[in-house]
Amino acid sequence: MPQGRADEEALTADIVALASQFGRYGYRRITALLREAGWAVNVKRVERIWRREGLKVPQKQPKKGRLWLNDGSCIRLRPERPNHVWSYDFVESRTHDGRKFRMLNLIDEFTRECLAIRIDRKLRSTDVIDVLSDLFIQWGVPAHIRSDNGPEFIAEAVREWIAAVGARAAYIEPGSPWENGYCESFNAKLRDELLNGEIFYSLAEAKIVIEGWRRHYNTKRPHSSLGYRPPNPEVIQWPASPPGTASPATPAVAPKPVMH
């Protein structure tokens, strides 16, 4: 009688645990998480256990068309490098008392990293400028910023400010959300993997939970278009500096001032 592998039971338990934690992940993303955790396992074996345990594979996202001109040329602006094209959009949700709150999501289309999620009951054009100014200081000014034609994005103050810092605003055609596909895809993942399964009892709780998900999305969540790697994985320094040691560039004891 076949005995099976010695680690089959432990691997099955880890697969079930990950599937329970990340209910919308398929077996390929679960495989990437298992490898990150130290398992030397291939996709076929995970798929076999996945189907044997009756785990549900999420349905694939429908394919979205592109916008083409009459001569067959595609007019979509494509990201070519990090910090080339950013895109941003609004998403709405509610706290348990039925009150709405809005999220301003901003991503780098090339790296797929979510740079920020600003959350508040109301977000206006001044909030857009505030978020962008903080990110420009941290990451630099991108070449293009893509958005829809919402009043917060096409406000004169926003357009003038973006032009003044050296970036170019790229607005999609009205009624054509597929032109902002990167941000639309991110919004769908945020809603499917978090918002649809959470009850927020306060705005403060929503900010903490959503920010935690954003960090997980950037550093842990396997991304299929990046070869099942996260957009910005965490880097751990090894060996770590012993506690209490000073940096080579910083003296352990500050020198005493010389009195003249």
Side-chain angles (χ1 to χ4, degrees), residues 1 13 29 33 44-45 58 60 81-82 104 127 132 147 168 190 205 235 240 245:
M1 296 291 292
R29 281 199 175 89
L33 291 176
K44 292 293 185 182
R45 186 182 178 194
K60 294 182 179 179
R81 59 187 182 279
L104 174 60
D127 299 298
L132 291 177
S147 70
R168 296 182 61 185
L190 171 62
E205 181 186 13
V235 177
T245 59

Side-chain angles (χ1 to χ4, degrees), residues 83 86 108 113-116 134-142 232:
N83 227 32
W86 290 1
D108 186 316
E113 181 176 2
C114 177
L115 304 177
D134 289 343
L135 292 175
F136 287 179
I137 294 172
Q138 181 179 359
W139 299 97
V141 180
N232 187 14

Side-chain angles (χ1 to χ4, degrees), residues 7-177:
D7 60 352
E8 186 82 0
E9 192 172 327
L11 177 60
T12 302
D14 281 2
I15 292 174
V16 172
L18 287 172
S20 301
Q21 183 179 0
F22 306 107
R24 298 296 296 173
Y25 285 10
Y27 62 86
R28 290 185 177 85
R29 281 199 175 89
I30 297 297
T31 303
L33 291 176
L34 288 169
R35 289 171 178 169
E36 184 180 347
W39 282 97
V41 63
N42 60 32
V43 176
K44 292 293 185 182
R45 186 182 178 194
V46 174
E47 181 185 11
R48 176 177 57 79
I49 297 174
W50 181 276
R51 299 191 183 281
R52 186 188 68 199
E53 295 297 318
L55 300 173
K56 182 181 178 181
V57 179
Q59 294 182 353
K60 294 182 179 179
Q61 294 286 340
K63 295 183 179 179
K64 297 181 180 179
R66 300 170 183 250
L67 186 63
W68 299 88
L69 294 177
N70 292 333
D71 60 357
S73 59
C74 184
I75 64 174
R76 172 185 285 181
L77 174 64
R78 294 179 176 275
E80 299 174 356
R81 59 187 182 279
N83 227 32
H84 179 213
V85 183
W86 290 1
S87 61
Y88 57 162
D89 197 8
F90 285 107
V91 172
E92 285 190 355
S93 189
R94 296 177 184 269
T95 48
H96 81 294
D97 54 3
R99 297 178 60 194
K100 289 184 180 181
F101 66 87
R102 304 188 80 192
M103 291 158 278
L104 174 60
N105 303 334
L106 197 146
I107 65 171
D108 186 316
E109 293 191 0
F110 186 84
T111 63
R112 312 299 172 87
E113 181 176 2
C114 177
L115 304 177
I117 300 179
R118 172 67 67 88
I119 304 168
D120 215 328
R121 293 294 182 185
K122 294 182 179 180
L123 292 170
R124 301 179 177 88
S125 58
T126 53
D127 299 298
V128 173
I129 295 176
D130 184 49
V131 173
L132 291 177
S133 60
D134 289 343
L135 292 175
F136 287 179
I137 294 172
Q138 181 179 359
W139 299 97
V141 180
H144 301 272
I145 303 177
R146 193 197 312 265
S147 70
D148 62 22
N149 290 274
E152 306 88 350
F153 299 134
I154 62 174
E156 185 176 356
V158 175
R159 289 184 294 157
E160 290 180 353
W161 185 84
I162 290 177
V165 297
R168 296 182 61 185
Y171 300 110
I172 68 173
E173 288 293 325
S176 304

Side-chain angles (χ1 to χ4, degrees), residues 179-191:
E179 292 184 46
N180 200 9
Y182 295 100
C183 213
E184 292 291 337
S185 175
F186 174 83
N187 294 345
K189 292 179 177 67
L190 171 62
R191 188 169 297 281

